Structures are given as structure tokens and as C-alpha cells.
Amino acid sequence: MTQPNNPRVLPASSHLSTLAVHAGEERQKAGDAITDAIFCASTYTFPDTQSIIDFIEQDLPREEYGRYGNPIEKVAERKLAALEGGESALLYSSGMAAIVGLLMAKLNSGDEVIFFDECYHRSRQFCTDHMARFGVVTRQVPACDYDAMEAAITPRTKLLISESPTNPHLSIVDLERFVAIGKRHGVETLIDATLGTPYNLRPLAAGVDYVLHSATKYLAGHNDLLAGVIIGSKAQLESIRDLRGIMGAINSPHNIYLLLRGLKTFELRMQRHNENGLKIAQFLEQHPKIEKVYYPGIESHKYYEVARRTMRGYGGLITFLVKDADAATTAKVVDAVRVPRIAPSLGGVESLIEQPLVMSYFKRTPEERQKFGISDNMIRLACGIENPEDLIADLAQALETI
Ligand SMILES: *Cc1c(COP(=O)(O)O)cnc(C)c1O
């Protein structure tokens, strides 16, 4: 039996929640089950030699060997492409595997790539420490400085990269300006929209070439797996797909099942993440022991106007500064909360809290921390989907301890 290849056809007007539940799935599945089967197979059999020849000559829709894909991966890729409004999606074993796969496929020796400097530090590090070994030049310009980005373009520039919102400062990229720079110079654009999510941000509609997500975060949503995805046009993803089959950074069918299960509730979870983020940011902003709140949905935020224009909601991530607090006093607040867990990451159902100074910048010098805008009194809170009043009461009691 070759795999059925008869994805459900949904009304073109389908909204995100309908797509999250149904898009990309086959009409009739193995065993007539409503859920997708997990096929534990490293390889796929052919009934006879002629079937192999037909498969090769006619590019038939079936599996061959596990590194090139598996049936449930195709379902997840179609669903993620539908959610993002893109033609095609490529799933990876982590967000970093996705970005490494894209950069390795797209850049050649002598090419240049330009980042806004608030991008995920591991992505920039891969370029500065590793792509550099293959002759790729990385330029970094201040986040949201469009003139600096345009000025850094040379005839060798192949890719402009940003994140939106950025982490931990939640800067919001004006996608129209970002895309316009790329188009003016014939340079492709990539947005890491992990914090934005397809619920809150629509980079492809704005003309961005590639959207990337650490699906580990909001898309999977349950702090129980790692995955990454790139979405774009079929033609532009082709060379990246070919390299993925060689790299082998693919997901096990079990992992993809969990991702699909998490995706079913994507819209509901995002609505609560957005509600919690906004309510808690507003609570923190009026609190006498808080010096500053970074959250794109509050008016005091540097990019509030851009966010309001381009986003549907602002997500669950909030960064804030505790007034007149040194590193130890700030740690006391983190240690006093009872509901959020102390951990890196974001986007899952459980709220997570951390002090960036300790969690991500402990080995950096004070000068480096200052350059990255990481102060001793900074706390990053990734709101989960708990009840907002419970989270607010918990933060209030934690702030009472200092
Ligand atoms: C977590 C994260 C990544 C890396 O994703 P992994 O799944 O951890 O490899 C990349 N970009 C952003 C914005 C992230 O938050």
C-alpha cells in the first residue's frame, strides 16, 4: 500500500483554529482512526523492483527511507504551512537545526548575511563562529535600525535576518520597511517569528521570504518537545529540503505526534497567552516596586505603535526591571514565586521565570551585559496559560518579599 495522499480540503475562508485542528490531515487515515498513526519505521518497503522504478521516474507520493521523511511529518508540514499561510513547510528536530539548515543551504563562501543584533544569540553565533569558517561574512546592525541595515548591504549580501518580537527586549520589526530593503536590493529576507507566532504576526503576508519558528515554543506549546520549522515558497525551500535529507536533522514520528497534538489547541492557547501577557504587563507597570516593563502591548513600550499596527496580540513574554534591586534582591523575587517554574524557554502551558543575568549571561563580562542591555535587576517571565489572577496574586506576594 502506498500512503494515501488525499489531504482534507477545507473551505478557503477557514480561520486559524479550524486550520489548527484539521488542516494538512488526510481525509481517511490508517485504521480509519481520527488521529494520525505513528509509524515506527526507519525504512519503507517496495513490493517489487518495478515499483521502485515507478517511484523514481514518476516522483510518486510515498516514503522511501526515514531520513527523507515519514508520513506524519507530511501532515505536520502541511498543517504548519496552512497556519502560516505559506506554500510549503520544512520540519526540523529543533529551531536551531532549522536555521542551520537554511543558512547552510543558502549561503556560499564570500556571501554576506546581515542580522539585527537582538536576534537569538545562537543563530548569530552559528554565523560568526561557524559560517565564518566557510567564508561567509556576518554583519550585525542595531535592532530596528533600517538605515544601518540598508547601509550594510553589499553586492555579496544574500540574506537579511531578524526576529520579531526580539528577546528579551521585545523589539518589534516594521516588516514593511524590512521587506522593502530586501526588495530594493534583491536580497532575501528571513523572520524568526518564534515569539510572534502565526496567531499574532503574519510575516509572509508582509512579503518576507522565509518564516522560521522554534516550534519548541508556542507551536508545540507544552514544554515537552523540541522542533523547528521553516515556511516559504516551494521553490525557495527546495535546496533547503535537499540538504535536510543529507543533514538528517529530522524528527521522530513520536515527536511529531506530540507536536500535532499540541497544535490542535494552538489558537486557544495563544488567546490565553495574549490575555495573560497583557494583564500581567499592566499589573507590573503600575506596581511601585517595578522600574520598567518591556511588553509590546503597553503604551510605554518603544515599539507600541508598530506592534499595534502589525500584531493581533502580543504574546506571553514579559521582561521587567525591579526598582532599586541588585542581583541578589532580584533573585529573591524569582525564588519567591510559587506558580511559574524557574527555567529557560517560553511558549508552553507552564509559566516560566528567570533572571537573564544568571540564566543566559552569567559568564559574560559586565561590559558585554551592558552592550546586550541585560541589567542585574531584569526578570523575564514567560506567561503560560494559568489563570491570570492567580499569576498576578503570585507576583504580588513575591514582590512583597523584598
Ligand atoms: C528557542 C529559540 C530558538 C531555538 O530553537 P530550539 O528549538 O531551542 O533549537 C530560535 N529562535 C528563537 C527566537 C527562540 O526563542
Side-chain angles (χ1 to χ4, degrees):
M1 181 187 98
T2 55
Q3 274 95 39
N5 191 32
N6 187 16
R8 298 199 50 187
V9 179
L10 297 168
S13 59
S14 295
H15 292 86
L16 217 55
S17 197
T18 307
L19 296 174
V21 175
H22 295 289
E25 302 187 13
E26 306 284 351
R27 262 189 66 74
Q28 204 60 21
K29 301 176 188 173
D32 298 320
I34 189 165
T35 49
D36 282 278
I38 300 170
F39 289 105
C40 293
S42 60
T43 193
Y44 299 84
T45 62
F46 293 84
D48 49 39
T49 302
Q50 187 56 45
S51 303
I52 308 173
I53 294 167
D54 290 347
F55 166 67
I56 295 166
E57 285 186 343
Q58 298 167 40
D59 199 17
L60 294 177
R62 56 151 289 159
E63 303 302 338
E64 176 190 356
Y65 178 68
R67 188 165 13 83
Y68 307 129
N70 56 66
I72 201 170
E73 180 187 71
K74 294 190 171 48
V75 176
E77 288 185 340
R78 288 194 297 251
K79 195 183 287 288
L80 289 163
L83 285 174
E84 196 66 60
E87 193 182 7
S88 191
L90 262 176
L91 200 61
Y92 285 84
S93 52
S94 69
M96 278 315 299
I99 189 142
V100 167
L102 186 144
L103 294 167
M104 293 292 287
K106 289 288 165 182
L107 300 174
N108 295 308
S109 180
D111 287 347
E112 299 182 5
V113 54
I114 307 175
F115 279 92
F116 277 148
D117 65 358
E118 286 180 15
C119 278
Y120 191 64
H121 68 289
R122 296 292 183 201
S123 306
R124 289 180 288 124
Q125 188 187 11
F126 179 70
C127 280
T128 56
D129 296 6
H130 298 284
M131 292 305 283
R133 295 189 288 115
F134 303 98
V136 172
V137 175
T138 303
R139 300 181 192 279
Q140 301 190 44
V141 299
C144 302
D145 187 338
Y146 305 95
D147 294 337
M149 180 164 263
E150 187 151 18
I153 291 177
T154 77
R156 304 306 305 261
T157 307
K158 288 284 150 49
L159 195 58
L160 308 179
I161 303 181
S162 186
E163 204 171 301
S164 193
T166 67
N167 171 20
H169 293 96
L170 287 310
S171 301
I172 308 294
V173 172
D174 186 331
L175 292 178
E176 268 179 40
R177 293 185 71 180
F178 179 69
V179 166
I181 297 172
K183 297 236 186 291
R184 260 200 301 282
H185 297 270
V187 179
E188 289 188 328
T189 47
L190 162 67
I191 288 285
D192 178 339
T194 300
L195 272 64
T197 82
Y199 185 82
N200 287 331
L201 195 69
R202 309 296 297 177
L204 293 179
V208 166
D209 290 293
Y210 307 101
V211 177
L212 185 135
H213 294 278
S214 166
T216 311
K217 316 292 170 51
Y218 290 108
L219 291 173
H222 292 71
N223 290 323
D224 58 359
L225 66 87
L226 283 99
V229 65
I230 305 165
I231 298 131
S233 77
K234 211 169 168 196
Q236 282 169 300
L237 293 193
E238 196 176 318
S239 64
I240 314 174
R241 187 181 295 278
D242 288 347
L243 180 61
R244 186 188 62 174
I246 300 169
M247 273 173 66
I250 51 102
N251 285 282
S252 83
H254 290 90
N255 208 49
I256 299 170
Y257 183 87
L258 286 175
L259 170 61
L260 280 175
R261 176 153 172 161
L263 279 170
K264 298 267 174 178
T265 54
F266 172 66
E267 182 171 274
L268 292 174
R269 289 186 286 102
M270 286 317 300
Q271 286 166 347
R272 180 57 77 87
H273 283 298
N274 285 347
E275 178 192 344
N276 283 356
L278 187 59
K279 281 188 174 159
I280 291 161
Q282 286 167 343
F283 160 76
L284 289 168
E285 190 167 57
Q286 54 73 45
H287 197 285
K289 288 184 181 168
I290 299 301
E291 175 190 324
K292 184 177 171 67
V293 178
Y294 295 88
Y295 187 74
I298 55 176
E299 276 180 53
S300 60
H301 189 65
K302 189 173 171 191
Y303 298 99
Y304 172 71
E305 280 305 326
V306 185
R308 223 176 47 139
R309 208 163 14 90
T310 57
M311 297 180 80
R312 180 168 170 193
Y314 311 104
L317 200 72
I318 304 167
T319 302
F320 58 97
L321 308 180
V322 186
K323 196 177 277 178
D324 301 326
D326 59 11
T329 308
T330 308
K332 208 170 160 196
V333 177
V334 170
D335 290 340
V337 297
R338 293 173 194 155
V339 179
R341 307 305 311 269
I342 302 174
S345 201
L346 63 116
V349 290
E350 295 95 356
S351 289
L352 303 177
I353 194 165
E354 52 134 315
Q355 191 176 1
L357 163 74
V358 181
M359 189 65 82
S360 308
Y361 295 87
F362 198 65
K363 289 189 170 168
R364 302 284 193 161
T365 62
E367 293 73 37
E368 283 176 316
R369 289 201 287 263
Q370 195 184 5
K371 192 176 131 230
F372 294 123
I374 305 300
S375 49
D376 292 1
N377 62 341
M378 178 178 274
I379 293 178
R380 198 189 85 163
L381 172 66
C383 298
I385 62 163
E386 300 93 339
N387 180 292
E389 282 159 35
D390 292 346
L391 290 172
I392 287 171
D394 190 27
L395 286 165
Q397 69 77 25
L399 287 165
E400 279 309 304
T401 65
I402 59 162

